Amino acid sequence: MVNVKRKQRKAFVSTEQCVACGCCVKVCPLHAISVPKGITAVVDITKCVGCGKCAKECPASVIEIQEVQP
Ligand code: SF4
Ligand code: SF4
């Protein structure tokens, strides 16, 4: 049997380790990640498509792309 439901991928930030540099914000093609009040990066998972650009760009390597159930 083929599983017709495709798993979705989303970005997750380890907020304790985020240095709020904003690099991820600049590269996200969907504007799904922001750093509200300059505190820590926050992902809008309704917009995120899990492309991984932010994770690649993060100098602190605190963004992980994880599979989630749709
Ligand atoms: S994984 Fe892609 S879409 Fe999601 S927040 Fe990162 S750059 Fe944006
Ligand atoms: S690039 Fe990494 S360290 Fe910088 S704001 Fe984004 S998640 Fe935080």
Side-chain angles (χ1 to χ4, degrees), residues 20 25 33-43:
V25 179
I33 193 161
S34 60
V35 185
K37 295 179 186 159
I39 299 169
T40 184
V42 175
V43 178

Side-chain angles (χ1 to χ4, degrees), residues 8-55:
Q8 295 184 343
R9 287 168 168 267
K10 303 284 179 189
F12 290 91
V13 179
S14 299
T15 48
E16 322 79 61
Q17 285 143 318
C18 169
V19 296
C21 63
C23 297
C24 53
V25 179
K26 282 182 215 152
V27 296
C28 178
L30 291 146
H31 309 288
I33 193 161
S34 60
V35 185
K37 295 179 186 159
I39 299 169
T40 184
V42 175
V43 178
D44 180 344
I45 60 163
T46 63
K47 289 188 195 165
C48 174
V49 294
C51 67
K53 282 191 180 166
C54 56

